[in-house]
Amino acid sequence: MRNLIPSWVRVPVLFFIIFGLVEYFVNSGKQPAFIEYPMVLLFLILILFVIIAIEAIVSSLGNILYQSLDEEGKARFDAKVDKTPKFITWIQNTYKKSLGQKPLQKEHEIILDHSYDGIRELDNDLPPWWTYAFIASIIFAVIYLVRFEVFDGYTQYDELDTEYAEAKIALEEYKKTAKDLVDFNTVELLTSASDLSNGKTIFETNCVACHMADGGGGIGPNLTDENWILGGGISHVFKTVSEGGRNGKGMIAWKQSLKPSEIAQVASYVLQFQGTTPAKPKDAEGDIWVETIE
């Protein structure tokens, strides 16, 4: 089986199998294990050297055993080697062609005349894979130059603007399904029937004891007049409900028991009391608040 699969296939396949097992069993978070843990990298390098050493030793032993055979034994071995499957033979031949090397028997055809201390040089051509890659890079460079320099193709700034626009749209879509991301800086007045209905339920469950069902006020201030202790408008009301009233007195902070989306709903419902006439209105507290447009 070793003769059917060349060493240049066996070594990387075996190494990447071990590499995959290491990545699977070593929990390194988002980064690869060999980056997160330097010792893992050293281990993989050691494993690679061990695999190469084993291949070299086995190959040397195989050559020694082959040379120890008699002519009949060598012939039988060569006959088995010649039975390599066509697919494996095609891979081996393709690999050799990609190197563009002359076989050992024909190296005398490309040997150069000069020598250095008895060492002579071969005039090998560049490997075909390198030549084709070089030609492909030139073609790509020409196309790139014409596309982006001559015809003013899109730039990285254009790509950035496009990504910003797409991110803004995605963020708006996300906010529609992630209402609990809202705070007093980003909250908007809710007007849909479902939001106001939920706000009414929250108000009647938690707020009527202090503000009365019609918002006229009791322990808490009147919600129907124009006066506000901590400011009116959806942003201030949201913050007051979330963080609570004045220190030492006033309403508790409801952020511990209500979600941001629920606070937005009840704050929007509270603002529905503005301008209504309660049964027993409490005297105005705080200052008249007028919303300003910035």
Side-chain angles (χ1 to χ4, degrees):
M1 184 63 182
R2 292 181 56 85
N3 295 320
L4 299 179
I5 304 177
S7 60
W8 56 269
V9 174
R10 286 196 303 270
V11 171
V13 167
L14 184 58
F15 174 76
F16 280 111
I17 289 175
I18 297 174
F19 177 84
L21 291 174
V22 170
E23 285 293 331
Y24 180 79
F25 287 106
V26 178
N27 184 10
S28 58
K30 295 182 179 179
Q31 289 186 325
F34 70 91
I35 295 178
E36 187 74 16
Y37 306 109
M39 290 303 297
V40 173
L41 178 60
L42 294 177
F43 171 75
L44 291 173
I45 294 174
L46 177 63
I47 287 295
L48 180 60
F49 278 118
V50 170
I51 294 174
I52 294 174
I54 292 174
E55 284 289 332
I57 293 172
V58 172
S59 177
S60 299
L61 291 176
N63 290 333
I64 293 173
L65 291 174
Y66 179 80
Q67 296 300 328
S68 65
L69 297 174
D70 55 19
E71 293 301 325
E72 184 178 351
K74 291 180 179 179
R76 287 198 302 269
F77 179 83
D78 294 338
K80 291 182 179 180
V81 172
D82 291 339
K83 293 180 181 179
T84 303
K86 293 182 179 180
F87 178 72
I88 300 298
T89 303
W90 177 82
I91 293 178
Q92 293 173 339
N93 293 336
T94 302
Y95 173 72
K96 291 178 181 178
K97 289 180 180 178
S98 69
L99 298 178
Q101 295 177 337
K102 287 277 188 179
L104 185 63
Q105 297 82 354
K106 297 183 179 181
E107 283 188 350
H108 65 278
E109 299 177 2
I110 57 172
I111 196 167
L112 298 176
D113 294 333
H114 59 268
S115 64
Y116 301 93
D117 295 331
I119 301 174
R120 307 186 70 178
E121 186 179 2
L122 297 177
D123 187 20
N124 279 311
D125 294 330
L126 287 171
W129 67 265
W130 192 97
T131 304
Y132 297 146
F134 182 67
I135 294 173
S137 66
I138 294 175
I139 295 173
F140 174 81
V142 171
I143 296 174
Y144 187 92
L145 178 67
V146 173
R147 174 68 177 85
F148 292 100
E149 298 297 332
V150 177
F151 293 105
D152 295 327
Y154 61 88
T155 64
Q156 290 181 325
Y157 293 105
D158 297 328
E159 291 182 343
L160 182 61
D161 292 338
T162 301
E163 290 181 2
Y164 270 135
E166 292 176 349
K168 186 175 181 180
I169 295 173
L171 181 60
E172 294 301 324
E173 291 297 323
Y174 178 70
K175 285 182 177 179
K176 293 179 181 179
T177 58
K179 295 182 179 181
D180 286 327
L181 290 177
V182 68
D183 60 18
F184 70 90
N185 290 314
T186 59
V187 65
E188 296 179 356
L189 182 65
L190 304 176
T191 58
S192 69
S194 61
D195 286 326
L196 294 177
S197 177
N198 291 338
K200 180 180 180 180
T201 302
I202 296 169
F203 182 85
E204 292 177 346
T205 303
N206 303 287
C207 309
V208 293
C210 296
H211 295 284
M212 301 302 170
D214 57 6
I219 299 175
N222 186 346
L223 302 176
T224 65
D225 56 36
E226 297 179 350
N227 294 65
W228 293 88
I229 298 173
L230 297 175
I234 186 62
S235 179
H236 290 90
V237 175
F238 181 98
K239 185 175 182 180
T240 302
V241 176
S242 175
E243 304 298 328
R246 293 161 292 179
N247 292 332
K249 58 181 177 179
M251 184 173 62
I252 64 171
W254 287 96
K255 63 182 180 181
Q256 307 298 333
S257 54
L258 295 178
K259 297 178 181 178
S261 58
E262 293 174 330
I263 296 176
Q265 291 170 341
V266 72
S268 297
Y269 176 74
V270 164
L271 292 175
Q272 300 295 305
F273 288 124
Q274 291 284 283
T276 62
T277 303
K280 296 179 180 180
K282 186 178 180 180
D283 292 338
E285 299 177 78
D287 302 320
I288 293 178
W289 187 84
V290 179
E291 187 172 6
T292 57
I293 301 175
E294 298 181 358

